[in-house]
Amino acid sequence: MEPPSSSRLNPRKRRKDGSGPNGATELDGIPPKMSRHSFGLREPAPFSDQIEVDYSKPYVRLTLEEATQGTPLDRPVRVYADGIFDLFHSGHARALMQAKNLFPNTYLIVGVCSDELTHNLKGFTVMNESERYDAVQHCRYVDEVVRNAPWTLTPEFLAEHQIDFVAHDDIPYSSAGSDDVYKHIKEAGMFAPTQRTEGISTSDIITRIVRDYDVYARRNLQRGYTAKELNVSFINEKKYHLQERVDKVKKRVKDVEEKSKEFVQKVEEKSIDLIQKWEEKSREFIGNFLEMFGPEGALKHMLKEGKGRMLQAISPKQSPSSSPTHERSPSPSFRWPFSTKTPPSSPANLSRNQSAVAYDISEDEED
């Protein structure tokens, strides 16, 4: 499958501190988004000594212009990148990704130096050569791996592997008595620069481990490694075990403190809730009490109403004599027709007449 063109690559955005994830820069290219499906390689990259090379065809190196414009599928641009690749990390992978995406049709060859050469010219490695070969083999951008790669590239090596360009960061690499081992490659116009990933390197990783050596030694002792395997003395071993116990006690105390704080916080929250509920209930109780027993409460109105009913039930009714009397007017006299005598009167009238007669008599007597 033809790799995507570098002109179609989307620039990776920088972080605020100037670097992206794992130290990515804007110069790193990432392929455009694709639909979710499996398109990765299923096997590691082969070693160069396992590939049959057809030397019948003459080797003609491509120019930069020809490589940039694109080449046929059967003639990819052969790019070479070399290194130690100890503790293979994302910085290595990004450098190889940049080398793979230098041209539209790139065949990436990666050279890995042996332990003997590296220990003599650079220093001791954490991983041995077999582990470093295997790590590079399983990088998705690598098409071929050269074992026991040379420290300085010779014309014979370039012709043997039919290399068109050499990819590496542009910083001069002084080693083996040379100010820059890639100087002659640059002068020949075969150098294709890549960008280093800041913040991640094998030296940085080793520095972290050395700086926190006690932490990692205690970690591995706890996981079952012996002091002999870790090259730890007897005294340091006991010291690490003691520190581990002290840390466990500190952790327990801290856990207890956190739990006690949580418990106190919960009690405070519950007490606040209880006080608020008690205040609400007390206000409600006081309001009900005043409504019942207050100056204008329902009890007073009930007592007044009961008192009025009791007084009404106890007091006697008014007698008829106490009621005002109305005198009956005398009935008019009635005369019988054609008669001078008055009609017979009632006993009451008789008594009145008698009294009147007597009154008249007494007056006559006085006269």
Side-chain angles (χ1 to χ4, degrees):
M1 181 178 66
E2 182 179 355
S5 174
S6 58
S7 61
R8 293 179 293 172
L9 298 178
N10 298 328
R12 185 181 295 274
K13 294 183 179 179
R14 286 179 180 264
R15 286 185 178 180
K16 292 182 180 180
D17 58 356
S19 60
N22 294 324
T25 63
E26 289 183 347
L27 298 176
D28 291 337
I30 56 174
K33 291 184 178 180
M34 301 180 182
S35 58
R36 185 181 292 274
H37 63 277
S38 177
F39 57 91
L41 301 176
R42 298 180 180 271
E43 295 180 359
F47 294 113
S48 59
D49 52 9
Q50 297 174 346
I51 300 175
E52 295 182 0
V53 181
D54 186 8
Y55 293 101
S56 61
K57 296 181 181 180
Y59 165 63
V60 178
R61 195 180 72 83
L62 296 173
T63 63
L64 181 61
E65 184 179 357
E66 293 173 346
T68 304
Q69 290 178 355
T71 58
L73 292 176
D74 60 347
R75 179 55 175 96
V77 182
R78 296 175 67 86
V79 177
Y80 177 82
D82 59 357
I84 309 302
F85 302 106
D86 191 20
L87 298 176
F88 192 88
H89 50 76
S90 61
H92 295 142
R94 289 184 178 278
L96 298 179
M97 179 185 68
Q98 294 180 50
K100 180 69 174 179
N101 290 284
L102 285 172
F103 307 106
N105 184 16
T106 303
Y107 183 86
L108 181 60
I109 307 169
V110 179
V112 183
C113 300
S114 64
D115 287 345
E116 181 180 1
L117 188 62
T118 304
H119 297 169
N120 291 333
L121 297 177
K122 188 172 184 179
F124 192 76
T125 58
V126 178
M127 302 168 64
N128 58 44
E129 59 184 23
S130 299
E131 294 169 339
R132 293 185 286 114
Y133 296 155
D134 189 66
V136 175
Q137 265 191 301
H138 289 84
C139 180
R140 61 182 298 181
Y141 309 110
V142 179
D143 298 304
E144 181 180 334
V145 177
V146 177
R147 291 182 285 193
N148 194 15
W151 198 263
T152 303
L153 301 179
T154 62
E156 293 78 16
F157 179 84
L158 298 176
E160 177 185 357
H161 294 279
Q162 300 180 356
I163 297 171
D164 296 313
F165 295 95
V166 177
H168 200 273
D169 61 84
D170 202 15
I171 301 174
Y173 193 86
S174 59
S175 179
S178 174
D179 294 337
D180 188 2
V181 296
Y182 297 102
K183 183 178 180 181
H184 63 289
I185 302 295
K186 295 176 181 178
E187 293 175 351
M190 298 178 62
F191 190 81
T194 59
Q195 298 296 324
R196 291 180 63 90
T197 302
E198 299 296 334
I200 182 69
S201 68
T202 302
S203 299
D204 291 338
I205 295 174
I206 295 175
T207 301
R208 297 177 198 174
I209 297 173
V210 173
R211 180 185 58 199
D212 301 325
Y213 169 77
D214 290 347
V215 176
Y216 293 114
R218 288 167 52 189
R219 169 182 176 271
N220 284 2
L221 284 173
Q222 186 181 3
R223 294 194 175 189
Y225 287 88
T226 63
K228 185 177 180 181
E229 290 175 333
L230 298 175
N231 196 23
V232 174
S233 64
F234 177 80
I235 296 175
N236 286 336
E237 180 186 5
K238 298 304 178 184
K239 182 184 73 173
Y240 294 148
H241 284 305
L242 179 61
Q243 289 176 348
E244 190 69 27
R245 293 176 183 176
V246 172
D247 290 345
K248 287 182 179 179
V249 173
K250 289 181 179 179
K251 185 178 180 181
R252 290 177 182 176
V253 173
K254 187 176 180 180
D255 293 341
V256 172
E257 289 179 354
E258 291 178 354
K259 290 181 180 179
S260 60
K261 288 180 181 178
E262 292 178 358
F263 176 76
V264 172
Q265 186 177 1
K266 289 181 180 179
V267 170
E268 290 179 353
E269 292 176 356
K270 289 185 178 180
S271 61
I272 292 172
D273 293 339
L274 289 174
I275 291 173
Q276 291 178 351
K277 291 181 180 179
W278 182 82
E279 289 179 350
E280 293 176 359
K281 292 293 182 183
S282 62
R283 292 193 191 99
E284 183 179 354
F285 176 77
I286 292 171
N288 294 337
F289 182 85
L290 293 176
E291 186 178 354
M292 177 61 70
F293 300 102
E296 300 296 332
L299 182 62
K300 185 175 182 181
H301 293 290
M302 291 171 61
L303 292 175
K304 284 183 178 180
E305 186 178 353
K307 184 178 179 182
R309 290 180 181 177
M310 291 174 64
L311 292 174
Q312 185 178 2
I314 294 172
S315 60
K317 296 181 179 180
Q318 294 181 354
S319 59
S321 61
S322 63
S323 60
T325 58
H326 299 280
E327 294 183 355
R328 295 176 66 182
S329 58
S331 59
S333 59
F334 180 74
R335 294 179 179 277
W336 292 93
F338 309 106
S339 176
T340 59
K341 297 181 178 180
T342 60
S345 58
S346 62
N349 291 331
L350 288 175
S351 62
R352 289 192 188 117
N353 293 332
Q354 290 176 0
S355 62
V357 171
Y359 179 78
D360 293 338
I361 291 172
S362 63
E363 286 180 351
D364 293 340
E365 290 176 355
E366 291 177 357
D367 291 337

